[in-house]
């Protein structure tokens, strides 16, 4: 009888870690699209703070377009990486992105929000609004079409 109890405890102990591990993985998969996009926005802000244009470029689909004010399209990973490197060269080192609304349409999502761009010392350079069309790409949500414009009056 004692042997059966010991075997049952061993079996329960082996199952317990598997449950914990599965529980840890499940919430990430069950995150709604809005939460995934908010997490991606935080990652973009962290890459901006680190000055990592390549990491930001990888957050976009291969056919993505960035449409900044007063400029033409930046199409594809190479051009978008160069765009963000140019932002770093201008002194941008911080971004706060606040998602206002996210609407999912299958493997596409549309996000509207606000942004604040700043220097490394926290000086605000610009505030504005944006629209991003996100695409599910290889299981991850990536920026596909990214357009933004300032809410600050022109000088």
């Amino acid at each position: 009888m004692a042997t059966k109890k010991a075997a049952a405890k061993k079996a329960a102990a082996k199952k317990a870690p598997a449950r914990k591990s599965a529980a840890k993985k499940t919430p990430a998969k069950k995150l709604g699209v809005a939460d995934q996009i908010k997490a991606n926005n935080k990652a973009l802000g962290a890459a901006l703070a680190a000055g990592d244009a390549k990491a930001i470029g990888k957050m976009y689909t291969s056919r993505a377009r960035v449409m900044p004010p007063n400029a033409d399209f930046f199409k594809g990973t190479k051009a978008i990486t160069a765009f963000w490197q140019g932002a770093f060269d201008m002194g941008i080192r911080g971004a706060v992105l606040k998602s206002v609304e996210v609407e999912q349409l299958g493997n596409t999502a549309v996000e509207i929000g606000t942004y604040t761009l700043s220097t490394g010392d926290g000086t605000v350079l610009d505030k504005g609004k944006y629209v991003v069309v996100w695409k599910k790409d290889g299981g991850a949500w990536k920026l596909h079409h990214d357009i933004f414009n300032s809410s600050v009056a022109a000088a």
Side-chain angles (χ1 to χ4, degrees), residues 7 25 47 71-73 100 109 112-113 127:
K25 290 179 184 176
D72 285 332
F73 289 102
V100 173
I112 61 170
K127 290 183 178 189

Side-chain angles (χ1 to χ4, degrees), residues 7-151:
K9 281 184 181 181
K10 259 188 184 177
K14 284 182 181 178
K15 287 182 183 178
R19 282 189 203 136
K20 275 186 179 180
S21 176
K24 286 180 185 176
K25 290 179 184 176
T26 303
K29 288 186 177 182
K30 288 193 175 187
L31 281 179
V33 65
D35 291 328
Q36 290 177 49
I37 286 172
K38 286 177 186 176
N40 289 350
N41 287 341
K42 282 186 181 185
L44 193 145
L48 253 167
D52 192 346
K54 285 184 181 181
I56 295 173
K58 290 177 183 177
M59 294 178 185
Y60 289 82
T61 66
S62 62
R63 295 181 34 226
R65 294 175 189 233
V66 172
M67 298 166 269
N70 306 312
D72 285 332
F73 289 102
F74 288 83
K75 302 175 196 173
T77 306
K78 186 175 178 180
I80 291 169
T81 301
F83 166 78
W84 284 108
Q85 185 59 54
F88 297 138
D89 295 346
M90 292 178 0
I92 295 172
R93 283 293 188 276
V96 176
L97 304 170
K98 292 187 180 179
S99 188
V100 173
E101 181 182 323
V102 175
E103 182 177 356
Q104 184 177 358
L105 308 159
N107 287 333
T108 302
V110 179
E111 175 197 20
I112 61 170
T114 62
Y115 70 85
T116 302
L117 298 177
S118 59
T119 62
D121 67 5
T123 302
V124 173
L125 297 171
D126 190 24
K127 290 183 178 189
K129 59 263 180 212
Y130 64 87
V131 175
V132 173
V133 175
W134 294 82
K135 290 280 189 185
K136 194 92 175 213
D137 184 9
W141 286 100
K142 292 190 173 190
L143 296 107
H144 186 61
H145 294 152
D146 182 3
I147 186 167
F148 53 94
N149 55 67
S150 181
S151 294

